[in-house]
Amino acid sequence: GYVVVALSPSLEHAERCQVETKRILERFATTGATESEFSEGHRPYVESVRESLHSNDFWARQLSAVTLQDPKTTLWNLEHMVENYEQITREEINELAQSILPPDSAGVTFAIGVTTSPESSPDHETEERE
């Protein structure tokens, strides 16, 4: 399995982001999410799923899925999507995480996109204005 974490740190924070992300994934793989972490991630995700039901992009993806999968199954899943996400438990997430994540960072690969801006460049001169 794999996890995608999208970060855009500044150059000076890239290495620290990588170290912290590895630390969090290793802990998640071995001990799982705490109740607080689960609640903080679960509630907003369920809300985003509920809100996505009102977007054209969501329905376009679902129509595409219907052509690739069994329409009855896909339509049933759509009817019960929010309910299914609401019913996911912390224990189920932790069990899944422990089954797919490596217990150490040996299986973790990073591709960090570093953001740069003219203001962060060492050659950039700032001009004071009154």
Side-chain angles (χ1 to χ4, degrees):
Y2 65 92
V3 173
V4 175
V5 179
L7 303 172
S8 295
S10 60
L11 185 57
E12 65 267 12
H13 294 111
E15 186 176 340
R16 181 163 183 229
C17 285
Q18 181 175 344
V19 169
E20 287 299 307
T21 301
K22 281 185 175 183
R23 184 185 63 76
I24 291 166
L25 287 174
E26 287 174 358
R27 184 182 59 76
F28 195 56
T30 56
T31 62
T34 65
E35 189 60 46
S36 173
E37 290 168 331
F38 176 76
S39 294
E40 289 173 15
H42 183 249
R43 223 173 303 122
Y45 187 77
V46 170
E47 284 306 312
S48 73
V49 169
R50 183 176 280 118
E51 289 173 14
S52 74
L53 296 173
H54 303 289
S55 76
N56 289 336
D57 184 50
F58 171 83
W59 290 107
R61 281 184 276 133
Q62 299 313 310
L63 288 172
S64 174
V66 167
T67 64
L68 300 173
Q69 302 167 3
D70 175 35
K72 288 181 184 177
T73 303
T74 303
L75 293 173
W76 185 90
N77 287 337
L78 286 172
E79 265 184 69
H80 301 281
M81 182 181 299
V82 173
E83 176 186 334
N84 289 339
Y85 280 115
E86 286 174 332
Q87 293 176 3
I88 292 173
T89 67
R90 179 175 69 97
E91 290 75 21
E92 290 171 320
I93 294 297
N94 286 342
E95 184 178 311
L96 177 63
Q98 291 172 2
S99 72
I100 65 170
L101 294 174
D104 60 24
S105 60
V108 178
T109 304
F110 283 87
I112 299 177
V114 178
T115 59
T116 59
S117 65
E119 295 80 23
S120 65
S121 169
D123 299 330
H124 178 74
E125 294 181 26
T126 57
E127 181 179 303
E128 288 189 27
R129 298 182 183 174
E130 295 184 48

